[in-house]
Amino acid sequence: MQTYQGLTSNDAAIILKKDGPNILPEKKKSFIRKLVSWAVSPVSLMLIAAATLSFAKGATIDATVILVLFFSNFLISAWHESKADRSIEKLRQSLAFKAKVLRDGAWKDIAAADLVAGDVVELRIGSVIPADAEIIDASNLSANESVLTGESLPKAKATGDIVYSGSFVTTGRAVVKVTATGPRTNFGKTVALIDAAPRKSALEKDIISVSRFISIVSIIVIVILTVIFIAARLPLSSVATLDLSLLIAGIPVALPTVMSLIISIGVLELARKSAIVRRLASLEDLANVDLFLSDKTGTLTENRIYAERVIGFRNVSEREIVALARSTFENGDSNPFDAAISVKADEMGVKAYPDISIIPGDSERKRGTAVISIPEGKGVARKTVSLGAAQVIRDLCRMSPELLREFDKAIEKAATEGYRAHVLAIADGETERDMTLVGMILLADKVRDDAKETIRSMAGNGIAVKMVTGDNFEVSKRVAVSLGIPGDMVRRSVLDGDKADLESRFGSIAGFSEVLPKDKYDIVSLARKHHVVAVTGDGVNDLPAVKSADVGFAVANAVDALKSTADIVLAKSGIAVIGDAVIEARKIFVRLYNYSIYRISESFRLIITIAVIGFLFKTYPLTPIQLIILAFLNDVPIVSLAFDRVKALGAPARVNARERFTISVLFGLVGVANSLILLYIMNNVLHLSWPMMQTMFFLKLTVSGHMLVYVAHTEELWYKFLPSKQVIVATISTQLVATALALFGIFTAQVSPALIAFVWIWSFFWMQISEIMKWIKTKLFTHSESLQVGHE
């Protein structure tokens, strides 16, 4: 059995019995927690009270329906949420950190969550320390413990010291023995003292405040109507039942489910586009981003060297230059420069000459050399070919003053344009003396094919892109120009100058080159004074910049420490992933925004209509059971809005509360007007009985309300941009259910098909009036104040 300084690989297995993971039916516990939480919520208690009052009055059927609807709504919501939860959990697992652990006599990569006390773990630079552990071997080890102590400077560690869960390795390596895991760690004990509720975004808080306002208004109206009904000598049990029913209908019952679903579905859509969200509140910040500070390598470029150009001297062809260059190294060489030349040779269909001997290139010689056989006349000649750094090959060559000037000019131009030049020379025999210059191959990290179009698209959506890279000025400038990033490339030295001057010219800068890690943090801090900033990072040194940005991205190859800090982790390379993430975040914003408009307008029209009719007729226009059924029928299309088809905003997303309130009230006033006019027609023209009028109101509120979804979800004419299939199916289904109840007299007074057709036509007519309200809103608000819709 393999041991490590006295620890056997069986230690973990022994301790697992007393310190292993708690394997319990988590799905069952989660369901029970949701059921208990739902049962004790204010809405649930009101529903139970309404059912109890109905039983007490002898309305057994009404009470039974209320309870069935109550449990049905819970099961549907729990099903939707559990689906989203399972998908989110899969995403969390995809981000789960691995630890290199000694198990069964061998080093294995296992999930950090599966560690137990006694495990032997290897740590390297950038590793997140997955558990509290004692160091049993270390080399130049230091760890950042800011998550625990707030101290940002790394702390040196030696054999025998303790390293803590949640910190990360900044230098060196170590082998440690786990002493505590999970809630038993120092970090776990600290977290247990903190409220674990996720931080809500400003938009979520805004919608919740709107719902609270609606609830308060509902309560005020109920209090006023209760006084009126009691004065009119209505039975107290009837008044109480009606009040509870209106409260249930007025309060946004589906709010938590809709909010959760809209955000969860957006997170899953982002994951399908290779962007995994770690902090949900960052989605709104991402929708607001107007400046993206991007790394160069891997994000704007492919992080792969290509042979971009071939330049020949003395009329030597490109094919000949590539064939000779390919002959200077063996197959399978991992040098990226050699690999680039191999790709170029394959693209051109040329092969290397047969080699006699090869001396591979290295950092000391700065060139690769080969003795090859070249057909010459009727025989074969031996030639020596060298490929390497310009200055080294230059010193090996015999050149005329004219050729030397041409050569130096070509090298200077290549450097100015940001290329790395590999120069090729050839000589007779097997010597590198008095060689003849043949040509040069210009190498560069190729710009990603999708980068230029993505930058153009982001600019069209109100997001400026600036490059922040440690690469040299010439290379950075070439990449910026090829991508069409507007402005001038500058060196990091500008950060040491006048900050006020730099701030004033910041908008005209395309990017910063030759930056150091601290410079990146300073650039983010400067940019945040006037912008909502997103930034990418890959190494430990990028942590300060990523943490200080409004949205921090960890690129696909980032170290674990950065992935654990970033708001969003990318599953693949390239700026296109980030562009997609911004668009999807804006769609999430639009869905939440549209939901808030619909919810405010629906509650407004329902509460005001009932208040006016209650004041005039001393009763409600709907029975308690009709109010409750209406509330649940409204929940179905409202929940489906989480899946709605929307267009992303064409500019950073911000809540315009005044505009939102205006359009909501306009929609609500249309609903109130059409209800009161319908009441007049039913009472004074059609002379319907009050039970039949209640049925007509119930049907009208359902049909008309769900038609409003089509109007409210888009800035365009409703028929030019229909909702998603899920929303269409949900609205049509609930409208048909309400129609069937009215047609067959289920929980309603039965009405004729002619009256039902009249309600549908009436609702459709007023739907067009609601459409006119959008036009009025655009006249009240300037284009800059309104939401700018982009593409799907």
Side-chain angles (χ1 to χ4, degrees), residues 722-738:
L722 295 174
S724 65
K725 291 180 181 178
Q726 293 94 325
V727 176
I728 292 174
V729 169
T731 52
I732 291 177
S733 298
T734 50
Q735 288 170 326
L736 291 177
V737 167

Side-chain angles (χ1 to χ4, degrees), residues 47 161 202 298 344 351 376 426 477 491 494 510 635 716 780:
L47 283 168
D161 288 346
K344 188 69 174 179
K351 295 183 179 180
E376 192 172 90
I426 191 168
K477 183 178 179 181
R491 292 181 171 87
V494 300
D635 281 351
E716 301 179 45
L780 295 175

Side-chain angles (χ1 to χ4, degrees), residues 320 324 327 353-357 370-385 426-431:
E320 181 66 10
L324 291 171
S327 305
Y353 289 105
D355 63 84
I356 297 169
S357 65
V371 177
I372 60 176
S373 299
I374 295 183
E376 192 172 90
K378 295 183 178 180
V380 176
R382 288 191 174 189
K383 303 279 186 178
T384 299
V385 183
I426 191 168
D428 294 329
E430 300 182 26
T431 177

